[in-house]
């Protein structure tokens, strides 16, 4: 399989590329940014082949060129502006152009090129808005209401409706996913992420030998980026999925404090604690309460893929990745 990964030099895109290359597939990484040298060296050691195509999803001609230059079997749309309030206030058009209209350009180009078996639209649990935090139990596709407040969530919800409509009009196979909160290898501030994960914040502090203060104990469906990539690949391979929307989520919630405990075992100069009254936390959890977990039951029931349920194993794998590729985070 040769897959076009739109946003291929970003966080999730790099994980998808690594997963495909590891199993011997080919990948075309389409991105406005060049491939990081550390990632390039790591990918060159894998059995699959890859190319990088610089381009802008907002430019239809740039997107069309990616399909003209390569025979594409599958597409992963991971280009996104993971925006915070400041960017939404100052550059709302940029968020919508990349998150939504860029996807439209890719869908149109895929239809014109022909031969694309499946397009995976990579969305986010932010599409649920506050309803992901309210109530009890897990969040289910098609059951929990979607009323996003942020432009990121609004645009992600819109991509699902647009994908569904254009899939019918253009006779394309398009599936959308909503990711739980992702952490793991290849996360970096590329200029498009305003909300870096708390686990990345803690990891960087561990590399610097710092002490961190957590605002509270959290327990959420943090999902490992390598597990996300494997699940997305499984969905791309599935012969006949029954639904056009799936969650990609961990089966076992965990907390940033659990990750800090693993970091402390491997980095003796790293220390962590819960902030006491009057102390300022140094880790931003991006919210004062936990969100309900996304259920991964539909993905399991439909295509037989279940994400791993051992956060400790993921943490250890991440620490090993940091030891090998920590230069990825150096400026």
């Amino acid at each position: 399989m040769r897959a076009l990964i739109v946003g291929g030099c970003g966080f999730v895109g790099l994980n998808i590329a690594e997963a495909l290359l590891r199993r011997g597939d080919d990948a075309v990484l389409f991105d406005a940014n060049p491939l990081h040298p550390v990632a390039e060296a790591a990918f060159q050691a894998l059995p699959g082949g890859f190319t990088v195509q610089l381009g802008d999803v907002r430019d239809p001609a740039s997107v069309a060129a990616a399909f003209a230059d390569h025979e594409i079997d599958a597409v992963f749309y991971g280009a996104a502006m993971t925006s915070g309030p400041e960017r939404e206030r100052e550059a709302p058009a940029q968020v919508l152009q990349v998150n939504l209209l860029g996807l439209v350009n890719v869908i149109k180009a895929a239809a014109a090129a022909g031969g694309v078996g499946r397009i995976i639209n990579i969305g986010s649990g932010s599409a649920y808005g506050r309803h992901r935090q309210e109530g009890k139990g897990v969040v289910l596709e098609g059951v929990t209401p979607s009323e996003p407040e942020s432009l990121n969530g609004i645009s992600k919800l819109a991509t699902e409706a647009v994908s569904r409509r254009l899939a019918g009009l253009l006779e394309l196979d398009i599936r959308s996913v909503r990711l739980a909160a992702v952490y793991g290898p290849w996360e970096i501030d590329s200029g498009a992420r305003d909300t870096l994960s708390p686990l990345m914040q803690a990891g960087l502090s561990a590399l610097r030998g710092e002490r961190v203060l957590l605002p509270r104990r959290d327990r959420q469906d943090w999902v490992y980026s390598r597990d996300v990539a494997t699940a997305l690949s499984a969905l791309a391979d599935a012969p006949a999925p029954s639904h056009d929307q799936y969650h990609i989520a961990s089966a076992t919630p965990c907390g940033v404090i659990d990750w800090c405990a693993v970091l402390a075992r491997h980095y003796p100069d790293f220390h962590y604690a819960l902030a006491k009254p009057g102390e300022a936390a140094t880790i931003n959890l991006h919210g004062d309460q936990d969100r309900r977990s996304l259920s991964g039951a539909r993905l399991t029931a439909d295509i037989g893929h279940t994400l791993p349920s051992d956060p400790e194993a993921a943490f250890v794998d991440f620490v090993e990745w940091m030891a090998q590729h920590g230069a990825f985070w150096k400026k």
Side-chain angles (χ1 to χ4, degrees):
M1 178 174 75
R2 177 179 289 110
L4 175 66
I5 308 171
V6 183
C9 296
F11 178 25
V12 174
L14 288 172
N15 279 274
I16 297 171
E18 182 181 52
L20 294 177
L21 295 173
R22 186 178 290 116
R23 69 183 199 179
D25 288 337
D26 294 335
V28 179
L29 283 62
F30 181 93
D31 206 293
N33 297 312
L35 180 62
H36 195 288
V38 173
E40 182 175 11
F43 291 174
Q44 287 174 343
L46 299 175
F50 69 94
T51 58
V52 178
Q53 183 140 351
L54 295 178
D56 189 337
V57 294
R58 298 171 293 182
D59 177 16
S62 178
V63 173
F67 288 90
D69 295 345
H70 309 276
E71 292 184 4
I72 302 299
D73 303 309
V75 177
F76 297 88
Y77 190 83
M81 301 300 300
T82 309
S83 55
E86 183 176 352
R87 191 191 298 263
E88 292 188 350
R89 181 173 58 251
E90 300 299 327
Q94 181 188 39
V95 177
L96 297 176
Q97 287 166 354
V98 172
N99 290 8
L100 177 58
L101 297 183
L103 173 62
V104 172
N105 290 335
V106 169
I107 291 173
K108 291 284 290 181
V116 176
R118 181 165 296 151
I119 299 172
I120 306 293
N121 168 36
I122 304 173
S124 167
S126 65
Y128 284 111
R130 67 179 183 276
H131 288 291
R132 188 179 168 190
Q133 295 176 323
E134 296 174 345
K136 298 180 180 180
V138 295
V139 175
L140 298 170
E141 302 96 325
V143 176
T144 304
S146 298
E147 294 182 9
E149 299 87 13
S150 69
L151 284 185
N152 182 58
I154 292 167
S155 60
K156 291 300 185 181
L157 179 61
T159 64
E160 297 171 0
V162 169
S163 294
R164 190 173 295 117
R165 176 60 173 163
L166 291 182
L169 292 174
L170 299 174
E171 297 183 349
L172 292 172
D173 185 336
I174 308 177
R175 312 292 168 149
S176 295
V177 300
R178 293 186 181 184
L179 304 183
V182 185
Y183 75 95
W186 307 121
E187 182 180 3
I188 197 170
D189 183 359
S190 62
R193 293 180 60 80
D194 295 339
T195 54
L196 299 176
S197 76
L199 292 98
M200 175 182 169
Q201 298 170 41
L204 292 173
S205 293
L207 289 175
R208 295 189 291 259
E210 298 174 344
R211 179 175 184 263
V212 302
L213 292 176
L214 302 169
R216 59 182 176 85
R217 290 181 180 272
D218 78 305
R219 188 167 181 80
Q220 305 186 54
D221 55 350
W222 296 109
V223 60
Y224 193 44
S225 57
R226 283 179 160 172
D227 296 338
V228 168
T230 302
L232 290 170
S233 301
L235 181 57
D237 293 339
S242 301
H243 302 278
D244 62 13
Q245 184 199 81
Y246 297 88
H247 289 159
I248 305 293
S250 172
T252 304
C254 59
V256 178
I257 197 167
D258 301 321
W259 165 236
C260 287
V262 174
L263 287 171
R265 295 203 303 265
H266 292 82
Y267 294 89
D269 294 332
F270 172 72
H271 301 280
Y272 68 97
L274 292 173
K276 298 178 181 179
E279 287 186 315
T282 60
I283 299 295
N284 182 1
L285 294 181
H286 306 301
D288 57 5
Q289 62 177 311
D290 295 344
R291 297 169 296 193
R292 286 192 294 153
S293 296
L294 303 184
S295 169
R298 173 181 283 185
L299 188 73
T300 299
D302 199 25
I303 71 168
H305 184 85
T306 301
L307 275 74
S309 57
D310 185 359
E312 178 79 10
F315 290 158
V316 171
D317 184 78
F318 192 11
V319 167
E320 291 175 353
W321 181 92
M322 289 170 58
Q324 185 176 3
H325 301 298
F328 179 71
W329 285 338
K330 292 182 180 179
K331 296 190 177 181

